[in-house]
Amino acid sequence: VHIGHPEFGQAVPCTCQETQDANTRAAALRRYSNLGALSRISFSTTDLEGPLSDASSRQMFSEGVAVAARFAEDPQAWLVLTGPSGSGKTHLAVAIANRCIERNQTAFFIVAADLLDHLRAAYSPDSPVSYDELFEQVRNVPVLILDDLSLANATPWAQEKLFQVINHRYNNALPTVVTVRGPLQRLDDALRTRLEGADGTATVVQLGNFNSRLVMGIGEIRTEMLQRMTFENFDTTGGANASPAEQESLDRAMHTAQTFAAEPEGWLLFNGPRGSGKTHLAVAIAGEQLRRGSQVFFAFVPTLLDHLRATFSPDSPVGYDELFEQINSVPLLVLDDLGAESSTAWAEEKLYQIIVHRHEARLPTVITTVSTIDELEDTKSRIASRLVDGMVVDWLPIAAPNYRDQRRRG
């Protein structure tokens, strides 16, 4: 440049050097971010329908992508991504980290369990980084993405370290993304209150219905049952020994079930002797809803209670809260053979909680039982008080002979 030029006497990098510096800076940010092979994930390559198949989860994911993309452009406050396993939480968290790096903003991604392992390893005299250095980095990095936060099976030390990180960033309003598998209620109160953002510090986005493959596996109906128990092959004649009144009860039950299956509203309760077709109609309703893309949880009541008890085991792959939340909130719940369960205080309480929640929320529910209302009032008075609510529950007594016995004799 000539003498007198504003840049005369100054060191000015050439254009190629500026490009090289930008590339070097981006590479350094990627190394620091701990993303590794995940650097390929971006919002532009994200399928807006998400990984889950049901319509409501797809809608949740699409809305979640929009929220995450806005956060990535201007990270402020906190973003908490919740949902079942495989709902796309980590994908969006990584996309946020990569977008931050594209914008030359420092972001650090780490799985919560890996963070704890690194912190433990930092105590070793051979560690390339000291505990204090690593802990300070995680606490104060401009944007922290903490993946798969969980306190399940965590030691008191691990719980304390995670809380210290969360609490520091919460108090200092440092931009943070946290992913949590399952509902936030599974976390302890101190951690949960910081993630829920009641004071406006956090946005919580649920990316899918809490219906992990394991949970839905518990509530699935076998394909063989769905194929065998349809409206088309339901026998309203009741067999050779059925009276006109019994045939009429079967016909009324089937037509009511078909109407309910087309547009579930309120509750249906099928009451009748064993082998009269109660479960057949309940499965037919469920099958129709499944064909329409709705979520259904089908449970033989004694087995359901066994599953709930099993979730308290430390080896259980499904958390109690996750399973209980799914039962409480699924669009259609089918409880088969109410009254066949062991009548313990714990079982009664769990069933009552499910019944009360769905009754008050008016969530579509189908129940089958061999018990009469008088028998239920004698043995399950609190539950029966909900089941006799004619504003919600439609009782459908089926007065028909045991069709299974007739087929065996035939």
Side-chain angles (χ1 to χ4, degrees), residues 332-397:
L332 176 61
L333 174 66
V334 180
L335 294 175
D336 189 37
D337 213 357
L338 176 67
E341 68 281 354
S342 299
S343 188
T344 65
W346 184 89
E348 291 294 314
E349 184 62 27
K350 295 304 113 179
L351 280 175
Y352 181 66
Q353 289 173 0
I354 293 168
I355 294 293
V356 167
H357 176 86
R358 296 189 67 86
H359 178 266
E360 292 181 347
R362 300 298 194 264
L363 292 172
T365 304
V366 176
I367 298 174
T368 75
T369 181
V370 299
S371 302
T372 65
I373 185 58
D374 290 338
E375 290 169 338
L376 287 175
E377 286 180 331
D378 287 341
T379 59
K380 304 178 185 298
S381 59
R382 292 196 302 166
I383 290 175
S385 69
R386 301 287 175 151
L387 300 183
V388 296
D389 181 0
M391 298 293 291
V392 177
V393 185
D394 187 1
W395 275 72
L396 285 170

Side-chain angles (χ1 to χ4, degrees), residues 53-384:
S53 59
D54 61 286
S56 58
S57 290
R58 288 181 174 181
Q59 179 66 25
M60 290 180 189
F61 185 82
S62 178
E63 294 171 356
V65 171
V67 174
R70 287 195 298 270
F71 182 93
E73 293 303 319
D74 183 23
Q76 298 288 334
W78 285 33
L79 177 62
V80 180
L81 304 174
T82 73
S85 299
S87 58
K89 303 181 298 296
T90 298
H91 182 102
L92 292 187
V94 170
I96 290 171
N98 283 322
R99 179 56 186 151
C100 287
I101 292 169
E102 289 175 0
R103 297 174 47 256
N104 292 322
Q105 185 164 25
T106 304
F108 184 72
F109 172 91
I110 193 163
V111 177
D114 291 343
L115 170 61
L116 294 171
D117 286 343
H118 289 317
L119 288 173
R120 291 187 190 95
Y123 284 114
S124 169
D126 300 325
S127 173
V129 60
S130 71
Y131 170 87
D132 290 337
E133 288 175 324
L134 177 58
F135 199 55
E136 185 66 16
Q137 170 185 327
V138 174
R139 293 202 321 160
N140 292 308
V141 64
V143 180
L144 174 66
I145 294 98
L146 189 60
D147 189 37
D148 203 12
L149 177 65
S150 172
L151 295 182
N153 302 319
T155 65
W157 179 88
Q159 294 181 34
E160 179 187 1
K161 294 302 116 180
L162 286 173
F163 181 75
Q164 287 174 351
V165 170
I166 294 292
N167 195 51
H168 175 82
R169 297 189 67 85
Y170 175 85
N171 290 336
N172 290 278
L174 296 173
T176 305
V177 178
V178 180
T179 76
V180 181
R181 178 175 35 178
L184 295 182
Q185 287 76 12
R186 296 178 69 172
L187 302 174
D188 71 63
D189 289 343
L191 208 55
R192 177 176 52 79
T193 54
R194 283 153 178 76
L195 298 183
E196 286 180 335
D199 57 356
T201 57
T203 299
V204 180
V205 177
Q206 183 177 325
L207 295 182
N209 292 302
F210 290 114
N211 60 337
S212 70
R213 292 173 178 83
L214 287 167
V215 172
M216 290 309 293
I218 294 171
E220 283 181 349
I221 308 175
R222 298 194 309 273
T223 301
E224 176 271 330
M225 288 180 66
L226 289 170
Q227 293 173 343
R228 177 166 50 87
M229 298 181 178
T230 65
F231 289 123
E232 289 73 21
N233 60 22
F234 183 74
D235 184 6
T236 57
T237 67
N241 300 323
S243 68
E246 291 170 337
Q247 291 176 348
E248 182 183 349
S249 74
L250 287 167
D251 189 66
R252 182 174 62 252
M254 187 185 75
H255 282 96
T256 304
Q258 287 177 314
T259 301
F260 183 91
E263 190 172 350
E265 184 176 351
W267 290 25
L268 283 187
L269 192 151
F270 295 107
N271 154 247
R274 300 199 182 280
S276 58
K278 304 182 302 298
T279 299
H280 187 130
L281 289 176
V283 171
I285 291 170
E288 180 61 28
Q289 280 296 294
L290 288 170
R291 280 189 289 275
R292 294 172 182 235
S294 296
Q295 285 186 300
V296 178
F297 192 106
F298 178 92
F300 176 56
V301 174
T303 303
L304 173 62
L305 293 170
D306 287 343
H307 283 306
L308 284 171
R309 291 187 190 95
T311 60
F312 289 102
S313 167
D315 299 325
S316 173
V318 179
Y320 171 83
D321 290 334
E322 186 176 4
L323 177 56
F324 201 63
E325 174 66 19
Q326 174 65 8
I327 297 165
N328 275 339
S329 61
V330 68
L332 176 61
L333 174 66
V334 180
L335 294 175
D336 189 37
D337 213 357
L338 176 67
E341 68 281 354
S342 299
S343 188
T344 65
W346 184 89
E348 291 294 314
E349 184 62 27
K350 295 304 113 179
L351 280 175
Y352 181 66
Q353 289 173 0
I354 293 168
I355 294 293
V356 167
H357 176 86
R358 296 189 67 86
H359 178 266
E360 292 181 347
R362 300 298 194 264
L363 292 172
T365 304
V366 176
I367 298 174
T368 75
T369 181
V370 299
S371 302
T372 65
I373 185 58
D374 290 338
E375 290 169 338
L376 287 175
E377 286 180 331
D378 287 341
T379 59
K380 304 178 185 298
S381 59
R382 292 196 302 166
I383 290 175

Side-chain angles (χ1 to χ4, degrees), residues 32-43:
Y32 177 85
S33 70
N34 198 42
L35 287 167
L38 297 176
S39 298
R40 70 186 186 282
I41 294 175
S42 68
F43 287 108

